[in-house]
Amino acid sequence: MSKLPLNLDDLLRQRTVEGDRIEYKAGWNPDAVVKTLCAFANDFENLGGGYVVIGQDCVDGRPLFPPVGLKDNQLDPIQRELLGYCNLIQPSYFPVLSVEKFEGKNLIVLWAPGGLN
């Protein structure tokens, strides 16, 4: 069961969320992901934050299909590492995380709503 407030296909094809509120990452790069989460959490324009899709490559901000995906044995370690990094953010910030299958590939989708602080 998805924890996302919208359909994954619509998100990936930028039908329901503007492209500047979605970041695609082909693989797990903690520094880039955490910086993006912080930017989305500091949602000064109250746009609803943003989404980070890990396992999805892109060119010029547009997703490439089929997705690169993540291996099954990467899913738990990425989630553990992300939790550790989120605990380092001050104040602590935890995005909504959903492990999704799309076109037979594993993706980790992070929804980062604007934070209160």
Side-chain angles (χ1 to χ4, degrees):
M1 177 90 180
S2 180
K3 298 177 186 175
L4 301 175
L6 45 80
N7 176 284
L8 181 60
D9 188 57
D10 288 344
L11 175 69
L12 291 176
R13 299 189 191 282
Q14 299 180 1
R15 291 185 201 128
T16 53
V17 177
E18 292 180 31
D20 61 350
R21 293 184 38 225
I22 308 169
E23 284 281 328
Y24 303 103
K25 308 291 185 189
W28 172 236
N29 179 342
D31 289 337
V33 170
V34 172
K35 284 179 186 176
T36 300
L37 290 176
C38 288
F40 287 146
N42 291 311
D43 185 10
F44 297 117
E45 296 177 17
N46 199 25
L47 298 173
Y51 296 84
V52 179
V53 183
I54 305 169
Q56 177 68 56
D57 204 358
C58 71
V59 171
D60 298 326
R62 303 290 299 171
L64 295 175
F65 295 101
V68 175
L70 299 167
K71 295 178 183 172
D72 289 338
N73 65 355
Q74 292 178 290
L75 299 175
D76 286 339
I78 289 172
Q79 291 176 74
R80 279 193 299 276
E81 267 190 72
L82 179 65
L83 179 62
Y85 281 102
C86 288
N87 276 313
L88 297 175
I89 298 171
Q90 291 300 319
S92 295
Y93 179 82
F94 302 96
V96 175
L97 183 147
S98 188
V99 176
E100 303 283 336
K101 273 262 200 240
F102 186 80
E103 295 185 357
K105 303 288 184 159
N106 294 317
L107 303 175
I108 293 178
V109 182
L110 305 172
W111 173 36
L116 299 175
N117 297 318

